[in-house]
Each structure stands twice: as C-alpha cells, then as structure tokens.
Amino acid sequence: MREGWRVDDGALLIRLARAEELPAIRRLLPLTGVLLEPEVADAVETGVMAGALRVAVREGRDAMLRHMAGQFFSHQGGDSVVPLQQVTLVLVAEHPARGVVGVVLANPPINVIHQLTDQSRRAAVGRQQVTQILLSGTLGIARIRALAVAEEFRGRGVGGELLRRCWQLFDHAGYLIVYGQAPDTEQLERFYRSQGFDVLAPGAGWDPWVVFGVHADVRSDAEERVFIRHRPSDAERRRERAIPTPRRGGTAAES
C-alpha cells in the first residue's frame, strides 16, 4: 500500500498519502466541495492512517479485528477518533512531474454510527448493543467522502483506478458496504455504474441493517444520489481477482 500500484501504463502511481502531500490534497478536495477534516489530516501526519487496513492486507481480517479491539480498549472512556483514524483511507495518484493529481478519501460514516448509537441509548438498550453498533459500523461499512482528479488528468481512468483500489482494500478487509453520494448527473451515474456500484434513484435511501443489525434509512443530500456496492458472494468472489502486489520502486517528488 505504501509502495503503490502503477497505472496508466506506468505513468501514475496510486498509493497511501504522505504528510508532505497534504497541501496538494487540500487543493484538490474543494473540487468535490469537501474540505480535509483535521482528524484525517492528523491521521496522515502521524502515520496511523489506514493502520488497520494495512494489518488486514498483511495478515487478514481476524488480525485486523484484534488490532482494532486493542485500539478501542486503549481509548475506552474517550472518543473514538484514534480508532477511526486506523480505518480511514486516503489514496493519491502521483505523477512523476506533477506530483499528486488525484485523491480518494474514505472512512466509516461517523454521523450514521453516532445517530444509531444515540437512538439505541435513548431506547434504553444495553451498553453491549450500543458497543456492537459502534464496532459493526467501524469495521463493516465505509463511505467515500471525496474523489477528486486534477482537470488536466481527467478522462485517463485516474478516478476509476483510485476508486477501484479503495474498494479492493475495504473489501479485502471484510467490509460489507462501501458507499457515497454524488451530484445527480448522467455522467457521474455512468461512471459509478461502470465501477460496479449501484446508483440509487434521486431521493432514494437504503437500509444498513446488514451491517448494524438495526434498521435505518440513510439518504443522500438534496440534489445528490447514493452510489453503493455490497460485498460480493463467495461465488462472485471466486470470479474476481485478488489485490495485485504493489510494485517496488522509487517515487517522484510531490507538488
């Protein structure tokens, strides 16, 4: 993940973001109307970003679960920022001359998790169920917050490669759902469908029961549509390729 994957006939490298690339990421993200949250920037700067996902790639989901159990235990009684940083993913597309020309940011849907845990507390359910909702959301569902590509590099498959690697990493880690929301345009609908996502009708919501074990109605913001992809069945998985091994090699200076 740190070494990255070569794409675009080797002209671009997709890999984990580095601290020195935060200024470039901050310039790209506003193209999607998203700003880089302090917690995400801190995760990149400290190197904890995607720590649990890296464990999953090296050792499998069971090892990732043990790793995250240790994170939650170490931070019990406090907030869940640090454990959530472990499952936050920021991938960049690097050009040898231009530096960072694309970025995808994804992490568990904090707002949805907090809403469901708050509802459970108000319903006076046991603490164990509230904890289970928190863990299930953190380890079972990821939301793509932003996908941005510099204008001069659009149409070259950069966005598709960033999205594909993002999906593969969360899928490999055992996440059941990866989703996001995008403006209601035919072009974006075609793009996300071409990447294996279902695009819901305008205003349509979806139920994350398979992840949380409780029903909810998750909807997009006004004038946007949800795109969503579920973990494939075993039969479907056998037809898919595994995550390619990152190619070794040097990287160019960043912008």
Side-chain angles (χ1 to χ4, degrees), residues 17-30 36-47 49 90 92 100 103 105 254-255:
R18 299 170 179 164
E20 63 268 23
E21 295 162 345
L22 288 172
I25 292 170
R26 287 190 174 98
R27 289 194 293 271
L28 281 172
L29 287 181
L36 188 65
E37 296 176 332
E39 296 83 359
V40 176
D42 180 68
V44 175
E45 288 178 335
T46 59
M49 182 266 292
V90 186
V92 297
V100 172
V103 60
L105 189 163
E254 307 299 334
S255 62

Side-chain angles (χ1 to χ4, degrees), residues 73-247:
F73 180 80
S74 298
H75 297 89
Q76 62 182 333
D79 60 39
S80 56
V81 170
V82 175
L84 288 170
Q85 288 177 324
Q86 292 278 333
V87 287
T88 292
L89 179 65
V90 186
L91 293 177
V92 297
E94 174 199 44
H95 185 270
R98 294 293 307 279
V100 172
V101 298
V103 60
V104 62
L105 189 163
N107 57 13
I110 311 302
N111 290 340
V112 174
I113 294 172
H114 285 171
Q115 287 171 10
L116 290 176
T117 54
D118 288 345
Q119 289 173 12
S120 296
R121 290 190 183 99
R122 289 195 297 269
V125 302
R127 180 177 178 180
Q128 183 176 356
Q129 183 175 345
V130 173
T131 301
Q132 185 59 48
I133 290 173
L134 173 62
L135 293 175
S136 297
T138 303
L139 300 172
I141 184 168
R143 178 181 174 183
I144 296 171
R145 301 285 179 180
L147 174 62
V149 177
E151 186 173 359
E152 61 269 33
F153 284 86
R154 294 174 189 171
R156 294 171 55 170
V158 179
E161 287 292 342
L162 284 165
L163 188 63
R164 185 161 73 94
R165 299 305 178 188
C166 177
W167 157 256
Q168 285 182 326
L169 290 168
F170 279 109
D171 177 57
H172 187 81
Y175 279 66
L176 298 176
I177 294 175
V178 175
Y179 80 104
Q181 58 187 52
D184 182 14
T185 69
E186 292 184 6
Q187 181 180 7
L188 287 176
E189 178 181 359
R190 288 195 301 271
F191 169 74
Y192 285 108
R193 289 191 187 281
S194 72
Q195 298 300 317
F197 287 79
D198 294 323
V199 181
L200 305 187
W206 59 280
D207 187 348
W209 178 87
V210 67
V211 173
F212 294 104
V214 295
H215 292 288
D217 186 22
V218 180
R219 295 182 178 271
S220 65
D221 297 334
E223 300 181 357
E224 293 194 327
R225 297 172 68 176
V226 171
F227 58 91
I228 186 169
R229 186 169 178 179
H230 293 79
R231 184 172 171 83
S233 65
D234 290 342
E236 293 169 328
R237 186 170 302 283
R238 284 193 291 270
R239 295 194 294 268
E240 291 188 353
R241 298 175 59 186
I243 299 177
T245 301
R247 298 183 181 180

